[in-house]
Amino acid sequence: MARPFVCVRALATVLLLGIATVSGSMGLRGQEHRGTSRIPSQFSAEERFTMKEALKDAIKIPTVSFGPEEFNTTALAEFGEFIYKAFPTLFKTSFIQHEVVGEYSHLFTVQGSDPSLQPYLLTAHIDVVPAPAEGWEVPPFSGLERDGFIHGRGTLDNKNSVMAILQALELLVTRNYVPRRSFFIALGHDEEVSGKYGAQKISALLQARGVQLAFIMDECGFVLDGFFPSLKKPFAMVSVSEKGALNLKLQVNMTPGHSSAPPKETSIGILAAAISRLEQTSLPNMFGDGPLKKTMQLLANEFPFPTNVVLSNLWLFRPLVSRLLERNYITNAFIRTTTAVTMFNAGIKINVIPPVAEATINFRIHPAQTVQEVIDLVKNIMADDRVQFHVLSAFDPLPISPSDDQAFGYQLLRQTIQSVFPEVNIVAPGTCIGNTDSRHYTNLTTDIYRFNPLYLQPQDFSSIHGLNEKISVQAYETQVKFMFELIQNADTELSQVPHLHEL
Ligand SMILES: *[C@@H]1O[C@H](CO)[C@@H](O)[C@H](O)[C@H]1NC(C)=O
Ligand SMILES: *[C@@H]1O[C@H](CO)[C@@H](O)[C@H](O)[C@H]1NC(C)=O
Ligand SMILES: [Zn+2]
């Protein structure tokens, strides 16, 4: 996940995004009709040893994105050689094509035996955010195993996914599995700083080839465990949307002069007043638009009285609930476009009237708003023509992907979650309040699902982009198993079966 907002995202997830039901389920069928037997996701002791060692080796390569144009290209190149050695069978398989894109990103095309089936795409990213060693229990690029955990930067975000996807495919082809449905594996190398050299180029390549995808699976979403005290069981959250972003630079220019005879207002005062108005005026509360309202309604019955009654009757309690959600800065991030003043620069000398005052503001845009709407609102709130606006960068929120009975990718994930995590019976659509590489792929499909097949507990959240990021060996094995199952499930036909759990 990009940007250091993961803990926020996670917590918010926790507080809010709950629980969906599993109404209307599709069953997985098809293998038996083709006479192909399903390959059980059981791995030998040797395979399990090899897979965890491969993850450790991946962590040891410091593929850090330091800034938008600043990468450890030595490490990125090394990573390319590393996967070649770690997954030898995959690279030798005739129906798998490998391409390097944008110098350090990787695209695998797995040609399925049935060209009538629409392909899908699994994506993950190779790069990590920096990890200065101070504060870590073990060095962040050591990949050390301790007490059943593999430690290091990238163990949760997101080399676990890079490695689990390739590992699952390696194990499948080692067992002579030939997929029916084609799929792509896209491994970007600059997700943490934009994705413009990796994911964006891969997407352009696929678009040029006329590819349309059944769905995409990306990061951002987990099996959440221990977040609601009143909830006995963990639940899975699959993010179906993602916030947009706008970075605005504000500038006020004035004629410089001597401070002994100052004008009534300076550039600093004008800009500060405008920014203060912006901070005092929250952008609109959008609770009720976007996936959250549905999710809250689905969540209702999982809570004890009176929360269940309140959430079941949002026609009446919506204003109350939306006000409550505003009170906590994390849940607040889910219901509106957020405003964060991140930089302010002005002044050159102690006795000179400042010619220029500048500030940058980072907005995270709610799925029900657009960049242009936010710019218009901000201009109205500032209400001062002397403040000039420059858009440094911006993108709209991502469309909300379907999560109904007919949504193939969502149902495929749901079914795979239920088979790999049998104790989880709740799968919920959610919103990702950070950003992923997904936004570069929106021309290829309307169905984008963000889910890491991993348990996540509250304390794990802060480790992502923070200190002591780690994954248990068992959790990693489960992630490999999940991908191993998912690839096979994608080759089956989803068909209506009786509902498992009704709301
Ligand atoms: C870049 O990666 C290489 C290994 O591939 C490592 O030796 C080097 O220290 C890294 N550079 C920085 C600045 O982290
Ligand atoms: C999507 O396609 C349009 C039209 O070809 C193009 O202008 C746009 O850049 C594409 N967007 C992405 C994210 O690839
Ligand atoms: Zn990530």
Side-chain angles (χ1 to χ4, degrees):
M1 293 175 263
R3 304 163 211 264
F5 286 84
V6 173
C7 33
V8 169
R9 167 185 333 158
L11 277 172
T13 297
V14 163
L15 293 171
L16 288 185
L17 297 180
I19 311 226
T21 78
V22 193
S23 64
S25 356
M26 292 183 192
L28 297 166
R29 270 207 318 230
Q31 296 276 359
E32 54 278 20
H33 301 299
R34 294 183 295 120
T36 325
S37 55
R38 195 179 170 85
I39 303 174
S41 50
Q42 284 157 5
F43 312 127
S44 69
E46 193 189 333
E47 285 169 336
R48 292 168 56 212
F49 180 79
T50 309
M51 72 171 81
K52 82 173 176 184
E53 292 306 310
L55 179 63
K56 292 181 197 174
D57 290 342
I59 299 301
K60 287 177 197 163
I61 307 174
T63 49
V64 177
S65 287
F66 294 100
E69 306 291 331
E70 221 187 315
F71 315 105
N72 188 333
T73 52
T74 314
L76 288 170
E78 199 180 306
F79 200 87
E81 288 160 30
F82 160 71
I83 55 173
Y84 192 81
K85 291 198 195 94
F87 306 110
T89 316
L90 186 164
F91 279 89
K92 273 187 254 149
T93 299
S94 61
F95 58 80
I96 302 177
Q97 188 203 354
H98 169 244
E99 293 162 271
V100 174
V101 181
E103 282 189 72
Y104 305 107
S105 288
H106 299 269
L107 174 64
F108 297 84
T109 304
V110 183
Q111 198 63 54
S113 59
D114 185 348
S116 72
L117 298 175
Q118 198 175 26
Y120 61 99
L121 181 141
L122 305 173
T123 182
H125 62 91
I126 294 168
D127 64 323
V128 295
V129 294
E134 300 84 60
W136 283 70
E137 286 163 19
V138 302
F141 297 103
S142 63
L144 273 181
E145 184 180 341
R146 193 184 276 184
D147 303 329
F149 283 83
I150 297 170
H151 292 250
R153 177 61 85 228
T155 48
L156 295 176
D157 182 16
N158 186 234
K159 282 178 176 162
N160 55 318
S161 298
V162 169
M163 296 302 285
I165 293 167
L166 296 177
Q167 188 68 68
L169 182 57
E170 174 80 6
L171 289 163
L172 280 167
V173 294
T174 309
R175 288 156 168 73
N176 299 314
Y177 188 78
V178 181
R180 275 175 76 203
R181 186 186 293 272
S182 297
F183 62 100
F184 300 93
I185 299 171
L187 308 176
H189 73 271
D190 61 342
E191 188 274 347
E192 296 291 359
V193 289
S194 73
K196 80 172 170 179
Y197 298 108
Q200 196 172 317
K201 288 215 161 82
I202 293 173
S203 177
L205 190 64
L206 293 176
Q207 288 176 54
R209 289 175 186 169
V211 170
Q212 278 294 308
L213 299 167
F215 71 95
I216 290 176
M217 178 180 174
D218 198 351
E219 61 172 339
C220 198
F222 294 93
V223 179
L224 299 170
D225 185 17
F227 290 99
F228 289 102
S230 51
L231 215 58
K232 297 278 177 291
K233 285 185 163 187
F235 66 95
M237 194 204 70
V238 177
S239 294
V240 296
S241 185
E242 183 174 318
K243 282 185 115 177
L246 165 64
N247 287 308
L248 261 191
K249 185 171 178 173
L250 305 178
Q251 199 176 59
V252 177
N253 290 292
M254 299 282 280
T255 315
H258 198 278
S259 64
S260 55
K264 192 159 178 281
E265 288 178 291
T266 62
S267 56
I268 293 177
I270 293 166
L271 186 58
I275 284 181
S276 178
R277 283 195 290 281
L278 195 61
E279 283 196 334
Q280 301 304 314
T281 317
S282 295
L283 292 173
N285 184 329
M286 308 296 286
F287 181 62
D289 303 297
L292 188 58
K293 187 176 163 202
K294 180 183 161 200
T295 310
M296 295 295 271
Q297 287 166 327
L298 294 171
L299 195 144
N301 287 348
E302 300 294 319
F303 282 94
F305 181 82
T307 316
N308 56 348
V309 174
V310 169
L311 294 178
S312 300
N313 292 284
L314 288 177
W315 61 273
L316 179 61
F317 294 114
R318 181 175 151 175
L320 172 73
V321 173
S322 69
R323 272 204 311 280
L324 288 173
L325 293 170
E326 279 183 341
R327 285 207 195 157
N328 176 296
Y329 71 100
I330 296 160
T331 52
N332 184 51
F334 274 90
I335 57 168
R336 63 159 40 92
T337 297
T338 53
T339 304
V341 182
T342 52
M343 294 202 272
F344 196 109
N345 296 304
I348 47 173
K349 205 162 180 287
I350 201 163
N351 59 354
V352 174
I353 298 300
V356 185
E358 284 180 346
T360 56
I361 309 188
N362 175 245
F363 299 91
R364 299 304 180 103
I365 304 170
H366 185 275
Q369 281 178 326
T370 63
V371 169
Q372 193 52 53
E373 282 166 8
V374 172
I375 292 175
D376 293 344
L377 284 165
V378 168
K379 282 187 174 163
N380 277 334
I381 293 167
M382 293 215 161
D384 190 336
D385 290 340
R386 295 170 298 180
V387 181
Q388 293 167 21
F389 286 70
H390 307 277
V391 176
L392 296 175
S393 59
F395 56 89
D396 283 323
L398 269 73
I400 298 167
S401 300
S403 55
D404 59 282
D405 292 3
Q406 303 310 314
F408 173 73
Y410 190 84
Q411 294 302 333
L412 185 65
L413 278 166
R414 192 184 60 67
Q415 295 251 323
T416 311
I417 290 166
Q418 291 192 322
S419 82
V420 177
F421 303 99
E423 66 287 7
V424 171
N425 59 8
I426 294 160
V427 179
T431 298
C432 182
I433 65 170
N435 292 117
T436 70
D437 265 345
S438 294
R439 69 181 180 282
H440 301 298
Y441 294 109
T442 48
N443 279 352
L444 294 164
T445 183
T446 52
D447 296 19
I448 301 181
Y449 304 105
R450 301 156 192 84
F451 180 69
N452 275 314
L454 279 183
Y455 266 71
L456 213 70
Q457 296 181 331
Q459 64 267 28
D460 301 324
F461 278 123
S462 52
S463 75
I464 300 177
H465 291 211
L467 298 174
N468 299 319
E469 190 179 344
K470 61 181 190 286
I471 190 172
S472 76
V473 172
Q474 198 214 323
Y476 178 62
E477 279 177 17
T478 304
Q479 188 168 3
V480 174
K481 181 182 157 95
F482 186 96
M483 299 316 300
F484 192 94
E485 294 273 332
L486 184 100
I487 292 169
Q488 294 192 73
N489 288 344
D491 284 343
T492 62
E493 284 147 35
L494 296 178
S495 59
Q496 291 291 327
V497 294
H499 295 186
L500 295 177
H501 309 275
E502 281 295 357
L503 187 62

